[in-house]
Amino acid sequence: MAALSLAVVGKNNEPLYLKEFREADLVDDLALFGINGEEEEKSSKETWNGFQCSCRQQFIMHAALERVEQLAGPEGFGWRAPNATGADAMFVGLLAPVEETRVYGYVTTTGIKFILVVEDEAVPDIQKNVDDEIKALMIEIHNLFVADLMNPFKEIGSHIQSKRFVRGVQNCVAAFNQTDGII
């Protein structure tokens, strides 16, 4: 099991951070649009609006965002168990299986949404353990997000460009991917 991409989405559904953790899909997108040679190498490092994420992963995360909105219902937190608090109340869990991936969600009490796409290698018998491991990763990323927001010079609702946040997410995801989901 490996994390493939992550999206942090604001309460008005504006993307704050999009990142794909493998470069293969980015190159596939470039070939799709007929970019090759030197341009491919240059363009693969360039980003759309500061984000580095393939069209495919963006589509998956956009569909997952729609699923979060459906699950939220009119009250806003329809997936929560009664009397759930803390991370248990914020972890949405599996949003949808999409092709060879699974998409998980985490929504803060302030409406910030974290969407994580992972490879689908889970056996139904161990799904509970997988959910716990992914919840632990989401909590770590949420903590990094809170630390980023505590910067007094950061404009609330702006794109996440903090090197500390980016490095922290990369380290968390690398640890998650190396240990097959055990943090």
Side-chain angles (χ1 to χ4, degrees):
M1 173 176 47
L4 301 178
S5 58
L6 172 72
V8 179
V9 181
K11 59 182 160 185
N12 295 323
N13 293 336
E14 71 277 7
L16 302 177
Y17 179 80
L18 291 172
K19 176 69 175 162
E20 186 165 0
F21 301 109
R22 62 178 187 182
E23 299 293 321
D25 285 343
L26 290 172
V27 174
D28 290 345
D29 279 357
L30 295 173
L32 176 70
F33 295 111
I35 300 172
N36 54 21
E38 291 178 12
E39 293 178 24
E40 178 180 329
E41 187 174 315
K42 180 183 174 191
S43 297
S44 67
K45 292 181 177 43
E46 292 177 3
T47 58
W48 170 82
N49 207 12
F51 303 127
Q52 194 169 31
C53 197
S54 69
C55 290
R56 179 179 184 271
Q57 292 298 317
Q58 289 182 41
F59 175 76
I60 290 170
M61 289 187 275
H62 184 77
L65 184 59
E66 187 68 30
R67 181 69 179 136
V68 169
E69 297 295 324
Q70 288 175 349
L71 289 173
E75 287 83 42
F77 297 100
W79 64 86
R80 288 188 179 173
N83 301 323
T85 60
D88 291 330
M90 293 186 273
F91 184 66
V92 180
L94 179 65
L95 296 172
V98 179
E99 296 174 3
E100 72 280 354
T101 64
R102 288 178 176 245
V103 186
Y104 290 85
Y106 184 95
V107 180
T108 67
T109 54
T110 58
I112 304 298
K113 300 158 200 80
F114 297 85
I115 298 172
L116 181 70
V117 180
V118 298
E119 288 179 333
D120 185 11
E121 296 177 359
V123 178
D125 295 342
I126 62 167
Q127 187 61 41
K128 177 72 170 140
N129 294 339
V130 170
D131 286 353
D132 291 340
E133 295 159 3
I134 290 173
K135 185 188 331 183
L137 176 62
M138 297 286 232
I139 291 168
E140 289 293 321
I141 294 170
H142 181 206
N143 290 338
L144 290 168
F145 177 75
V146 170
D148 182 60
L149 280 181
M150 292 175 67
N151 178 353
F153 301 107
K154 177 179 173 50
E155 184 178 328
I156 294 177
S158 64
H159 296 288
I160 300 171
Q161 298 175 345
S162 163
K163 290 179 183 176
R164 180 182 289 170
F165 178 84
V166 171
R167 198 174 25 233
V169 167
Q170 288 173 339
N171 292 339
C172 287
V173 169
F176 179 82
N177 289 347
Q178 286 178 343
T179 59
D180 283 334
I182 302 169
I183 296 180

